[in-house]
Amino acid sequence: MNGDRVRTAISFVLALVLIAVFGAGVLLLTGRYAYEEALLVGFGVAIVGAFGPIVAAWIQKLFRRKP
């Protein structure tokens, strides 16, 4: 496996973890969520944050197609 791909994969996973922890931390500061609930929502935020731009670009590409 290429070293650049490994670095990219590790960076992507670390970014997901950091976004999930940050999202969970914000929810825990509100005091309305339990630890497990905050982590679950934080993980959802991380997934949407990582794949949202990819899906948006894909949808935009679908509408740009010329008949």
Side-chain angles (χ1 to χ4, degrees):
M1 190 174 214
N2 191 357
D4 289 336
R5 286 186 178 183
V6 172
R7 283 191 212 122
T8 302
I10 291 172
S11 296
F12 184 73
V13 170
L14 283 175
L16 282 178
V17 169
L18 287 175
I19 294 169
V21 169
F22 181 74
V26 169
L27 291 174
L28 284 173
L29 286 176
T30 64
R32 302 182 95 194
Y33 292 93
Y35 182 72
E36 297 84 14
E37 293 171 335
L39 282 178
L40 183 64
V41 173
F43 184 70
V45 167
I47 295 297
V48 170
F51 291 112
I54 295 169
V55 172
W58 177 70
I59 291 171
Q60 188 176 23
K61 185 179 176 182
L62 285 176
F63 286 119
R64 283 191 190 169
R65 275 199 191 149
K66 296 179 182 176

Short mmCIF file of all heavy atoms in Angstrom, two decimals:
data_model
loop_
_atom_site.label_atom_id
_atom_site.label_comp_id
_atom_site.label_asym_id
_atom_site.label_seq_id
_atom_site.Cartn_x
_atom_site.Cartn_y
_atom_site.Cartn_z
N MET A 1 0.85 -1.18 0.00
CA MET A 1 0.00 0.00 0.00
C MET A 1 0.89 1.24 0.00
O MET A 1 1.92 1.29 0.65
CB MET A 1 -0.91 -0.04 1.22
CG MET A 1 -1.99 0.99 1.20
SD MET A 1 -3.10 0.73 2.61
CE MET A 1 -4.60 1.23 1.86
N ASN A 2 0.46 2.22 -0.71
CA ASN A 2 1.21 3.45 -0.86
C ASN A 2 1.22 4.24 0.46
O ASN A 2 0.20 4.32 1.15
CB ASN A 2 0.56 4.27 -1.97
CG ASN A 2 1.40 5.45 -2.39
OD1 ASN A 2 2.46 5.71 -1.81
ND2 ASN A 2 0.94 6.17 -3.38
N GLY A 3 2.35 4.83 0.79
CA GLY A 3 2.48 5.59 2.03
C GLY A 3 1.56 6.80 2.08
O GLY A 3 1.08 7.18 3.14
N ASP A 4 1.33 7.43 0.92
CA ASP A 4 0.44 8.59 0.89
C ASP A 4 -1.00 8.20 1.20
O ASP A 4 -1.72 8.94 1.87
CB ASP A 4 0.49 9.26 -0.48
CG ASP A 4 1.81 9.99 -0.71
OD1 ASP A 4 2.47 10.35 0.28
OD2 ASP A 4 2.18 10.18 -1.88
N ARG A 5 -1.40 7.03 0.73
CA ARG A 5 -2.77 6.57 1.01
C ARG A 5 -2.94 6.26 2.49
O ARG A 5 -4.00 6.51 3.06
CB ARG A 5 -3.10 5.34 0.19
CG ARG A 5 -3.33 5.64 -1.25
CD ARG A 5 -3.79 4.42 -1.97
NE ARG A 5 -4.05 4.73 -3.36
CZ ARG A 5 -4.52 3.87 -4.22
NH1 ARG A 5 -4.77 2.63 -3.85
NH2 ARG A 5 -4.74 4.22 -5.46
N VAL A 6 -1.91 5.71 3.10
CA VAL A 6 -1.98 5.41 4.52
C VAL A 6 -2.09 6.70 5.32
O VAL A 6 -2.91 6.81 6.23
CB VAL A 6 -0.76 4.58 4.97
CG1 VAL A 6 -0.73 4.43 6.47
CG2 VAL A 6 -0.75 3.23 4.30
N ARG A 7 -1.30 7.68 4.98
CA ARG A 7 -1.36 8.97 5.67
C ARG A 7 -2.72 9.62 5.48
O ARG A 7 -3.27 10.21 6.41
CB ARG A 7 -0.26 9.89 5.16
CG ARG A 7 1.08 9.57 5.72
CD ARG A 7 2.09 10.66 5.39
NE ARG A 7 3.37 10.02 5.25
CZ ARG A 7 4.13 10.07 4.19
NH1 ARG A 7 3.77 10.78 3.14
NH2 ARG A 7 5.28 9.44 4.15
N THR A 8 -3.25 9.54 4.28
CA THR A 8 -4.56 10.12 4.01
C THR A 8 -5.64 9.42 4.82
O THR A 8 -6.52 10.08 5.40
CB THR A 8 -4.89 10.03 2.50
OG1 THR A 8 -3.86 10.70 1.76
CG2 THR A 8 -6.22 10.65 2.19
N ALA A 9 -5.59 8.11 4.89
CA ALA A 9 -6.59 7.35 5.65
C ALA A 9 -6.49 7.68 7.14
O ALA A 9 -7.52 7.87 7.81
CB ALA A 9 -6.41 5.85 5.42
N ILE A 10 -5.28 7.74 7.65
CA ILE A 10 -5.08 8.07 9.07
C ILE A 10 -5.58 9.48 9.36
O ILE A 10 -6.24 9.73 10.36
CB ILE A 10 -3.61 7.87 9.48
CG1 ILE A 10 -3.27 6.38 9.47
CG2 ILE A 10 -3.35 8.48 10.85
CD1 ILE A 10 -1.80 6.10 9.67
N SER A 11 -5.28 10.42 8.47
CA SER A 11 -5.74 11.80 8.66
C SER A 11 -7.26 11.88 8.63
O SER A 11 -7.86 12.61 9.42
CB SER A 11 -5.17 12.69 7.55
OG SER A 11 -3.78 12.75 7.62
N PHE A 12 -7.89 11.12 7.74
CA PHE A 12 -9.34 11.12 7.64
C PHE A 12 -9.96 10.57 8.92
O PHE A 12 -10.91 11.15 9.45
CB PHE A 12 -9.77 10.30 6.43
CG PHE A 12 -11.25 10.31 6.18
CD1 PHE A 12 -11.88 11.43 5.69
CD2 PHE A 12 -12.00 9.18 6.45
CE1 PHE A 12 -13.24 11.44 5.46
CE2 PHE A 12 -13.36 9.18 6.23
CZ PHE A 12 -13.98 10.31 5.73
N VAL A 13 -9.43 9.47 9.42
CA VAL A 13 -9.97 8.87 10.64
C VAL A 13 -9.76 9.81 11.84
O VAL A 13 -10.66 9.98 12.67
CB VAL A 13 -9.33 7.49 10.90
CG1 VAL A 13 -9.67 6.97 12.27
CG2 VAL A 13 -9.78 6.50 9.83
N LEU A 14 -8.59 10.42 11.93
CA LEU A 14 -8.35 11.37 13.02
C LEU A 14 -9.29 12.56 12.94
O LEU A 14 -9.78 13.05 13.97
CB LEU A 14 -6.89 11.83 13.00
CG LEU A 14 -5.88 10.85 13.55
CD1 LEU A 14 -4.46 11.40 13.36
CD2 LEU A 14 -6.14 10.58 15.01
N ALA A 15 -9.55 13.04 11.73
CA ALA A 15 -10.48 14.15 11.57
C ALA A 15 -11.88 13.75 12.01
O ALA A 15 -12.56 14.52 12.70
CB ALA A 15 -10.49 14.62 10.12
N LEU A 16 -12.32 12.54 11.65
CA LEU A 16 -13.62 12.06 12.10
C LEU A 16 -13.71 12.00 13.62
O LEU A 16 -14.70 12.42 14.21
CB LEU A 16 -13.92 10.68 11.51
CG LEU A 16 -14.38 10.62 10.07
CD1 LEU A 16 -14.57 9.17 9.65
CD2 LEU A 16 -15.65 11.40 9.86
N VAL A 17 -12.67 11.48 14.24
CA VAL A 17 -12.66 11.36 15.70
C VAL A 17 -12.68 12.74 16.35
O VAL A 17 -13.43 12.98 17.30
CB VAL A 17 -11.44 10.53 16.17
CG1 VAL A 17 -11.25 10.62 17.67
CG2 VAL A 17 -11.58 9.09 15.72
N LEU A 18 -11.88 13.66 15.84
CA LEU A 18 -11.83 15.01 16.43
C LEU A 18 -13.16 15.72 16.28
O LEU A 18 -13.63 16.38 17.22
CB LEU A 18 -10.71 15.82 15.79
CG LEU A 18 -9.31 15.43 16.22
CD1 LEU A 18 -8.28 16.23 15.42
CD2 LEU A 18 -9.12 15.67 17.70
N ILE A 19 -13.80 15.61 15.12
CA ILE A 19 -15.09 16.25 14.92
C ILE A 19 -16.14 15.62 15.83
O ILE A 19 -16.97 16.33 16.42
CB ILE A 19 -15.53 16.17 13.44
CG1 ILE A 19 -14.58 17.00 12.56
CG2 ILE A 19 -16.95 16.66 13.26
CD1 ILE A 19 -14.77 16.77 11.08
N ALA A 20 -16.10 14.30 15.99
CA ALA A 20 -17.06 13.61 16.86
C ALA A 20 -16.87 14.04 18.31
O ALA A 20 -17.85 14.31 19.02
CB ALA A 20 -16.90 12.10 16.73
N VAL A 21 -15.64 14.13 18.76
CA VAL A 21 -15.37 14.54 20.14
C VAL A 21 -15.78 15.99 20.36
O VAL A 21 -16.36 16.34 21.39
CB VAL A 21 -13.88 14.30 20.49
CG1 VAL A 21 -13.50 14.96 21.80
CG2 VAL A 21 -13.59 12.81 20.53
N PHE A 22 -15.50 16.83 19.40
CA PHE A 22 -15.87 18.24 19.51
C PHE A 22 -17.39 18.39 19.56
O PHE A 22 -17.94 19.11 20.40
CB PHE A 22 -15.30 19.05 18.34
CG PHE A 22 -15.62 20.51 18.41
CD1 PHE A 22 -14.98 21.33 19.31
CD2 PHE A 22 -16.57 21.06 17.57
CE1 PHE A 22 -15.28 22.68 19.39
CE2 PHE A 22 -16.88 22.40 17.63
CZ PHE A 22 -16.23 23.21 18.54
N GLY A 23 -18.09 17.68 18.66
CA GLY A 23 -19.56 17.73 18.66
C GLY A 23 -20.14 17.20 19.96
O GLY A 23 -21.09 17.76 20.51
N ALA A 24 -19.58 16.11 20.46
CA ALA A 24 -20.05 15.55 21.73
C ALA A 24 -19.77 16.50 22.88
O ALA A 24 -20.60 16.66 23.79
CB ALA A 24 -19.38 14.20 21.98
N GLY A 25 -18.62 17.14 22.87
CA GLY A 25 -18.29 18.09 23.92
C GLY A 25 -19.24 19.26 23.98
O GLY A 25 -19.65 19.69 25.05
N VAL A 26 -19.61 19.75 22.80
CA VAL A 26 -20.57 20.86 22.76
C VAL A 26 -21.91 20.43 23.33
O VAL A 26 -22.54 21.16 24.10
CB VAL A 26 -20.72 21.38 21.30
CG1 VAL A 26 -21.89 22.33 21.17
CG2 VAL A 26 -19.44 22.05 20.85
N LEU A 27 -22.34 19.22 22.98
CA LEU A 27 -23.62 18.73 23.50
C LEU A 27 -23.55 18.48 25.01
O LEU A 27 -24.53 18.71 25.73
CB LEU A 27 -24.05 17.47 22.78
CG LEU A 27 -24.46 17.68 21.32
CD1 LEU A 27 -24.72 16.35 20.66
CD2 LEU A 27 -25.67 18.57 21.22
N LEU A 28 -22.42 18.00 25.49
CA LEU A 28 -22.28 17.77 26.93
C LEU A 28 -22.29 19.08 27.71
O LEU A 28 -22.77 19.13 28.84
CB LEU A 28 -20.99 17.00 27.22
CG LEU A 28 -21.03 15.51 26.89
CD1 LEU A 28 -19.65 14.89 27.06
CD2 LEU A 28 -22.05 14.79 27.76
N LEU A 29 -21.78 20.13 27.10
CA LEU A 29 -21.78 21.44 27.77
C LEU A 29 -23.20 21.97 27.96
O LEU A 29 -23.45 22.76 28.87
CB LEU A 29 -20.95 22.44 26.99
CG LEU A 29 -19.44 22.25 27.09
CD1 LEU A 29 -18.73 23.25 26.18
CD2 LEU A 29 -18.96 22.41 28.51
N THR A 30 -24.12 21.56 27.10
CA THR A 30 -25.50 22.03 27.26
C THR A 30 -26.17 21.39 28.46
O THR A 30 -27.13 21.94 29.00
CB THR A 30 -26.34 21.73 26.00
OG1 THR A 30 -26.44 20.32 25.84
CG2 THR A 30 -25.76 22.37 24.77
N GLY A 31 -25.70 20.21 28.86
CA GLY A 31 -26.26 19.53 30.01
C GLY A 31 -27.57 18.79 29.73
O GLY A 31 -28.21 18.30 30.65
N ARG A 32 -27.97 18.71 28.49
CA ARG A 32 -29.24 18.06 28.16
C ARG A 32 -29.03 16.63 27.66
O ARG A 32 -30.00 15.91 27.46
CB ARG A 32 -29.95 18.86 27.07
CG ARG A 32 -30.20 20.30 27.50
CD ARG A 32 -30.94 21.03 26.45
NE ARG A 32 -32.37 20.95 26.79
CZ ARG A 32 -33.33 21.25 25.97
NH1 ARG A 32 -33.06 21.63 24.75
NH2 ARG A 32 -34.59 21.17 26.36
N TYR A 33 -27.81 16.22 27.45
CA TYR A 33 -27.53 14.89 26.89
C TYR A 33 -26.63 14.11 27.82
O TYR A 33 -25.76 14.66 28.49
CB TYR A 33 -26.83 15.02 25.53
CG TYR A 33 -27.70 15.59 24.46
CD1 TYR A 33 -27.70 16.96 24.20
CD2 TYR A 33 -28.52 14.78 23.70
CE1 TYR A 33 -28.50 17.50 23.22
CE2 TYR A 33 -29.33 15.31 22.70
CZ TYR A 33 -29.31 16.66 22.47
OH TYR A 33 -30.11 17.20 21.50
N ALA A 34 -26.85 12.80 27.83
CA ALA A 34 -25.94 11.91 28.56
C ALA A 34 -24.70 11.69 27.70
O ALA A 34 -24.68 12.03 26.51
CB ALA A 34 -26.63 10.57 28.83
N TYR A 35 -23.68 11.13 28.30
CA TYR A 35 -22.40 10.93 27.62
C TYR A 35 -22.57 10.09 26.36
O TYR A 35 -22.05 10.44 25.30
CB TYR A 35 -21.43 10.27 28.60
CG TYR A 35 -20.05 10.05 28.05
CD1 TYR A 35 -19.19 11.12 27.83
CD2 TYR A 35 -19.62 8.78 27.73
CE1 TYR A 35 -17.93 10.92 27.32
CE2 TYR A 35 -18.36 8.56 27.21
CZ TYR A 35 -17.52 9.64 27.01
OH TYR A 35 -16.28 9.44 26.49
N GLU A 36 -23.32 8.98 26.46
CA GLU A 36 -23.49 8.08 25.32
C GLU A 36 -24.27 8.76 24.20
O GLU A 36 -23.95 8.60 23.02
CB GLU A 36 -24.21 6.80 25.74
CG GLU A 36 -23.45 5.97 26.75
CD GLU A 36 -23.67 6.44 28.18
OE1 GLU A 36 -24.61 7.22 28.42
OE2 GLU A 36 -22.88 6.03 29.04
N GLU A 37 -25.30 9.50 24.57
CA GLU A 37 -26.10 10.20 23.57
C GLU A 37 -25.27 11.25 22.85
O GLU A 37 -25.35 11.40 21.63
CB GLU A 37 -27.31 10.87 24.22
CG GLU A 37 -28.33 9.92 24.78
CD GLU A 37 -29.37 10.63 25.61
OE1 GLU A 37 -29.10 11.72 26.15
OE2 GLU A 37 -30.46 10.07 25.70
N ALA A 38 -24.47 11.97 23.60
CA ALA A 38 -23.64 13.02 23.00
C ALA A 38 -22.62 12.42 22.04
O ALA A 38 -22.38 12.97 20.97
CB ALA A 38 -22.94 13.82 24.09
N LEU A 39 -22.03 11.27 22.41
CA LEU A 39 -21.07 10.63 21.50
C LEU A 39 -21.75 10.13 20.23
O LEU A 39 -21.18 10.23 19.14
CB LEU A 39 -20.35 9.49 22.21
CG LEU A 39 -19.24 9.90 23.15
CD1 LEU A 39 -18.65 8.66 23.81
CD2 LEU A 39 -18.16 10.66 22.41
N LEU A 40 -22.93 9.59 20.36
CA LEU A 40 -23.66 9.11 19.19
C LEU A 40 -23.99 10.25 18.24
O LEU A 40 -23.77 10.14 17.03
CB LEU A 40 -24.94 8.39 19.63
CG LEU A 40 -25.76 7.76 18.52
CD1 LEU A 40 -24.97 6.64 17.86
CD2 LEU A 40 -27.05 7.22 19.08
N VAL A 41 -24.48 11.34 18.77
CA VAL A 41 -24.80 12.49 17.93
C VAL A 41 -23.51 13.11 17.38
O VAL A 41 -23.46 13.52 16.22
CB VAL A 41 -25.62 13.53 18.73
CG1 VAL A 41 -25.81 14.80 17.92
CG2 VAL A 41 -26.95 12.95 19.11
N GLY A 42 -22.46 13.14 18.18
CA GLY A 42 -21.18 13.66 17.70
C GLY A 42 -20.63 12.84 16.55
O GLY A 42 -20.08 13.39 15.59
N PHE A 43 -20.79 11.52 16.61
CA PHE A 43 -20.34 10.68 15.51
C PHE A 43 -21.17 10.95 14.25
O PHE A 43 -20.64 11.02 13.14
CB PHE A 43 -20.44 9.20 15.88
CG PHE A 43 -19.92 8.28 14.82
CD1 PHE A 43 -18.57 8.21 14.55
CD2 PHE A 43 -20.79 7.50 14.08
CE1 PHE A 43 -18.09 7.37 13.57
CE2 PHE A 43 -20.33 6.66 13.10
CZ PHE A 43 -18.96 6.60 12.84
N GLY A 44 -22.47 11.16 14.44
CA GLY A 44 -23.32 11.51 13.29
C GLY A 44 -22.91 12.84 12.67
O GLY A 44 -22.87 12.98 11.44
N VAL A 45 -22.59 13.80 13.49
CA VAL A 45 -22.11 15.10 13.01
C VAL A 45 -20.81 14.93 12.23
O VAL A 45 -20.60 15.55 11.18
CB VAL A 45 -21.92 16.08 14.19
CG1 VAL A 45 -21.15 17.31 13.78
CG2 VAL A 45 -23.26 16.45 14.78
N ALA A 46 -19.93 14.07 12.72
CA ALA A 46 -18.66 13.83 12.04
C ALA A 46 -18.87 13.21 10.66
O ALA A 46 -18.22 13.61 9.68
CB ALA A 46 -17.77 12.94 12.89
N ILE A 47 -19.77 12.24 10.57
CA ILE A 47 -20.04 11.58 9.29
C ILE A 47 -20.63 12.58 8.29
O ILE A 47 -20.20 12.66 7.14
CB ILE A 47 -20.98 10.38 9.48
CG1 ILE A 47 -20.28 9.30 10.31
CG2 ILE A 47 -21.44 9.81 8.14
CD1 ILE A 47 -19.05 8.71 9.68
N VAL A 48 -21.60 13.35 8.74
CA VAL A 48 -22.22 14.35 7.85
C VAL A 48 -21.20 15.42 7.46
O VAL A 48 -21.14 15.84 6.30
CB VAL A 48 -23.45 14.98 8.53
CG1 VAL A 48 -23.95 16.17 7.74
CG2 VAL A 48 -24.54 13.94 8.67
N GLY A 49 -20.37 15.83 8.41
CA GLY A 49 -19.36 16.84 8.12
C GLY A 49 -18.31 16.36 7.13
O GLY A 49 -17.82 17.13 6.31
N ALA A 50 -17.99 15.08 7.18
CA ALA A 50 -16.97 14.55 6.28
C ALA A 50 -17.53 14.25 4.90
O ALA A 50 -16.88 14.51 3.89
CB ALA A 50 -16.37 13.29 6.87
N PHE A 51 -18.73 13.68 4.84
CA PHE A 51 -19.27 13.24 3.56
C PHE A 51 -20.25 14.22 2.94
O PHE A 51 -20.64 14.06 1.79
CB PHE A 51 -19.92 11.87 3.71
CG PHE A 51 -18.92 10.78 3.98
CD1 PHE A 51 -18.89 10.16 5.21
CD2 PHE A 51 -18.01 10.40 3.02
CE1 PHE A 51 -17.97 9.17 5.47
CE2 PHE A 51 -17.09 9.41 3.27
CZ PHE A 51 -17.07 8.78 4.50
N GLY A 52 -20.65 15.24 3.67
CA GLY A 52 -21.59 16.23 3.13
C GLY A 52 -21.08 16.93 1.88
O GLY A 52 -21.80 17.00 0.88
N PRO A 53 -19.86 17.46 1.88
CA PRO A 53 -19.36 18.12 0.67
C PRO A 53 -19.23 17.16 -0.52
O PRO A 53 -19.44 17.56 -1.66
CB PRO A 53 -17.98 18.64 1.09
CG PRO A 53 -18.05 18.75 2.56
CD PRO A 53 -18.97 17.66 3.02
N ILE A 54 -18.91 15.91 -0.25
CA ILE A 54 -18.79 14.93 -1.33
C ILE A 54 -20.16 14.68 -1.96
O ILE A 54 -20.30 14.67 -3.20
CB ILE A 54 -18.18 13.62 -0.80
CG1 ILE A 54 -16.76 13.87 -0.33
CG2 ILE A 54 -18.21 12.53 -1.87
CD1 ILE A 54 -16.15 12.73 0.45
N VAL A 55 -21.17 14.49 -1.14
CA VAL A 55 -22.53 14.27 -1.65
C VAL A 55 -23.05 15.51 -2.36
O VAL A 55 -23.68 15.41 -3.42
CB VAL A 55 -23.47 13.85 -0.50
CG1 VAL A 55 -24.91 13.79 -0.95
CG2 VAL A 55 -23.03 12.51 0.07
N ALA A 56 -22.77 16.69 -1.83
CA ALA A 56 -23.22 17.93 -2.46
C ALA A 56 -22.58 18.10 -3.84
O ALA A 56 -23.26 18.50 -4.80
CB ALA A 56 -22.88 19.13 -1.58
N ALA A 57 -21.30 17.78 -3.96
CA ALA A 57 -20.63 17.87 -5.27
C ALA A 57 -21.21 16.85 -6.25
O ALA A 57 -21.37 17.15 -7.44
CB ALA A 57 -19.14 17.65 -5.10
N TRP A 58 -21.54 15.67 -5.75
CA TRP A 58 -22.12 14.64 -6.61
C TRP A 58 -23.49 15.08 -7.12
O TRP A 58 -23.80 14.93 -8.30
CB TRP A 58 -22.22 13.33 -5.84
CG TRP A 58 -22.87 12.22 -6.59
CD1 TRP A 58 -22.36 11.55 -7.66
CD2 TRP A 58 -24.16 11.67 -6.35
NE1 TRP A 58 -23.25 10.61 -8.09
CE2 TRP A 58 -24.37 10.66 -7.30
CE3 TRP A 58 -25.15 11.93 -5.42
CZ2 TRP A 58 -25.53 9.92 -7.34
CZ3 TRP A 58 -26.31 11.18 -5.46
CH2 TRP A 58 -26.49 10.19 -6.42
N ILE A 59 -24.32 15.65 -6.25
CA ILE A 59 -25.64 16.13 -6.66
C ILE A 59 -25.51 17.28 -7.65
O ILE A 59 -26.24 17.34 -8.64
CB ILE A 59 -26.47 16.54 -5.42
CG1 ILE A 59 -26.83 15.29 -4.61
CG2 ILE A 59 -27.73 17.30 -5.83
CD1 ILE A 59 -27.46 15.60 -3.28
N GLN A 60 -24.57 18.17 -7.40
CA GLN A 60 -24.35 19.28 -8.31
C GLN A 60 -23.92 18.76 -9.68
O GLN A 60 -24.35 19.29 -10.71
CB GLN A 60 -23.30 20.21 -7.74
CG GLN A 60 -23.14 21.50 -8.51
CD GLN A 60 -22.15 22.43 -7.85
OE1 GLN A 60 -21.30 21.99 -7.07
NE2 GLN A 60 -22.25 23.70 -8.14
N LYS A 61 -23.10 17.74 -9.70
CA LYS A 61 -22.66 17.14 -10.96
C LYS A 61 -23.83 16.52 -11.71
O LYS A 61 -23.89 16.58 -12.94
CB LYS A 61 -21.59 16.09 -10.68
CG LYS A 61 -20.98 15.50 -11.90
CD LYS A 61 -19.91 14.50 -11.55
CE LYS A 61 -19.36 13.83 -12.78
NZ LYS A 61 -18.36 12.81 -12.44
N LEU A 62 -24.78 15.93 -10.99
CA LEU A 62 -25.96 15.35 -11.64
C LEU A 62 -26.78 16.41 -12.36
O LEU A 62 -27.32 16.16 -13.44
CB LEU A 62 -26.83 14.64 -10.60
CG LEU A 62 -26.34 13.30 -10.09
CD1 LEU A 62 -27.28 12.80 -9.00
CD2 LEU A 62 -26.24 12.29 -11.20
N PHE A 63 -26.91 17.58 -11.77
CA PHE A 63 -27.71 18.63 -12.38
C PHE A 63 -26.99 19.34 -13.51
O PHE A 63 -27.62 20.01 -14.31
CB PHE A 63 -28.15 19.65 -11.32
CG PHE A 63 -29.23 19.13 -10.42
CD1 PHE A 63 -29.02 19.01 -9.07
CD2 PHE A 63 -30.45 18.76 -10.94
CE1 PHE A 63 -30.02 18.53 -8.23
CE2 PHE A 63 -31.46 18.27 -10.12
CZ PHE A 63 -31.24 18.16 -8.77
N ARG A 64 -25.68 19.21 -13.59
CA ARG A 64 -24.91 19.86 -14.66
C ARG A 64 -24.89 19.04 -15.95
O ARG A 64 -24.44 19.54 -16.96
CB ARG A 64 -23.48 20.09 -14.21
CG ARG A 64 -23.33 21.24 -13.30
CD ARG A 64 -21.88 21.54 -13.12
NE ARG A 64 -21.69 22.49 -12.06
CZ ARG A 64 -20.55 22.80 -11.55
NH1 ARG A 64 -19.45 22.21 -11.99
NH2 ARG A 64 -20.44 23.67 -10.59
N ARG A 65 -25.31 17.80 -15.89
CA ARG A 65 -25.28 16.95 -17.08
C ARG A 65 -26.09 17.56 -18.21
O ARG A 65 -27.19 18.04 -18.02
CB ARG A 65 -25.83 15.57 -16.76
CG ARG A 65 -24.81 14.70 -16.20
CD ARG A 65 -25.23 13.27 -16.34
NE ARG A 65 -24.29 12.50 -15.53
CZ ARG A 65 -24.57 11.40 -14.92
NH1 ARG A 65 -25.76 10.89 -15.02
NH2 ARG A 65 -23.67 10.78 -14.22
N LYS A 66 -25.50 17.46 -19.37
CA LYS A 66 -26.20 17.99 -20.54
C LYS A 66 -26.87 16.84 -21.28
O LYS A 66 -26.25 15.80 -21.51
CB LYS A 66 -25.21 18.70 -21.45
CG LYS A 66 -24.60 19.91 -20.78
CD LYS A 66 -23.62 20.58 -21.67
CE LYS A 66 -23.02 21.76 -20.92
NZ LYS A 66 -21.99 22.41 -21.66
N PRO A 67 -28.13 17.04 -21.67
CA PRO A 67 -28.84 15.94 -22.37
C PRO A 67 -28.33 15.67 -23.76
O PRO A 67 -27.63 16.31 -24.36
CB PRO A 67 -30.28 16.44 -22.42
CG PRO A 67 -30.28 17.86 -22.04
CD PRO A 67 -28.94 18.18 -21.45
#
